[in-house]
């Protein structure tokens, strides 16, 4: 059972070996928040936030915050919301691509045939 968590403009997926609080801390770090800001928001001490971030670093095998965010993105644990929005929009445009359903005008078929014949002739003479 995978659950999605959102923090600012970032989203993360639970069910991957990380605790919910650790994932929230990674999302907050990715959003650029400090330990104090995260602690103030969650009503905890900055030390406990630092412990959760260190625990997530240990589980992912990294030792610096930028590497933590990069590794979480590489493993697909977190992603910026803009990527999800782009994926949705691209999927919608692929489903409803009006250019595929375009009806040709009467003269277009002849022009396409002439162009393809010309390309074939050029290829044969070269």
């Amino acid at each position: 059972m995978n659950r999605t968590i959102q923090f600012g403009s970032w989203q993360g997926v639970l069910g991957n070996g990380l605790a919910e609080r650790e994932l929230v801390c990674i999302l907050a770090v990715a959003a650029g928040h400090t330990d104090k800001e995260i602690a103030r928001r969650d009503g905890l001490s900055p030390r406990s936030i630092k412990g959760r971030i260190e625990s997530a670093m240990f589980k992912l095998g990294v030792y610096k915050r930028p590497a933590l965010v990069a590794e979480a993105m590489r493993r697909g644990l977190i992603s910026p919301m803009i990527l999800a929005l782009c994926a949705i929009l691209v999927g919608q445009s692929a489903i409803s691509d009006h250019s595929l359903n375009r009806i040709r005008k009467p003269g277009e078929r002849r022009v396409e045939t002439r162009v393809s014949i010309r390309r074939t002739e050029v290829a044969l003479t070269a």
Side-chain angles (χ1 to χ4, degrees):
M1 177 177 117
N2 291 342
R3 214 174 93 212
T4 303
I5 296 177
Q6 295 180 0
F7 186 94
S9 62
W10 288 83
Q11 71 178 5
V13 180
L14 272 176
N16 45 35
L18 290 176
E20 182 176 353
R21 294 273 184 162
E22 292 169 347
L23 183 61
V24 170
C25 288
I26 292 173
L27 293 170
V29 168
H33 294 280
T34 63
D35 290 350
K36 287 183 181 180
E37 292 170 341
I38 302 167
R40 194 175 310 122
R41 180 186 157 274
D42 292 346
L44 300 168
S45 73
R47 180 67 190 131
S48 58
I49 297 298
K50 184 175 182 177
R52 288 195 176 107
I53 292 171
E54 288 174 353
S55 174
M57 284 181 184
F58 177 76
K59 288 179 180 179
L60 297 181
V62 294
Y63 302 102
K64 300 207 181 240
R65 288 177 184 233
L68 174 68
V69 173
E71 182 66 18
M73 284 182 71
R74 188 186 70 75
R75 292 186 184 193
L77 305 177
I78 65 171
S79 64
M81 290 291 289
I82 191 71
L83 292 179
L85 179 63
C86 288
I88 290 170
L89 292 176
V90 166
Q92 286 295 327
S93 67
I95 291 170
S96 63
D97 193 1
H98 298 295
S99 66
L100 296 176
N101 299 329
R102 188 173 68 87
I103 298 174
R104 291 187 178 124
K105 295 176 188 164
E108 284 186 47
R109 183 72 151 191
R110 270 183 296 198
V111 171
E112 291 175 2
T113 305
R114 266 190 258 141
V115 169
S116 64
I117 290 172
R118 180 70 180 153
R119 284 185 186 152
T120 307
E121 289 173 351
V122 168
L124 290 175
T125 58

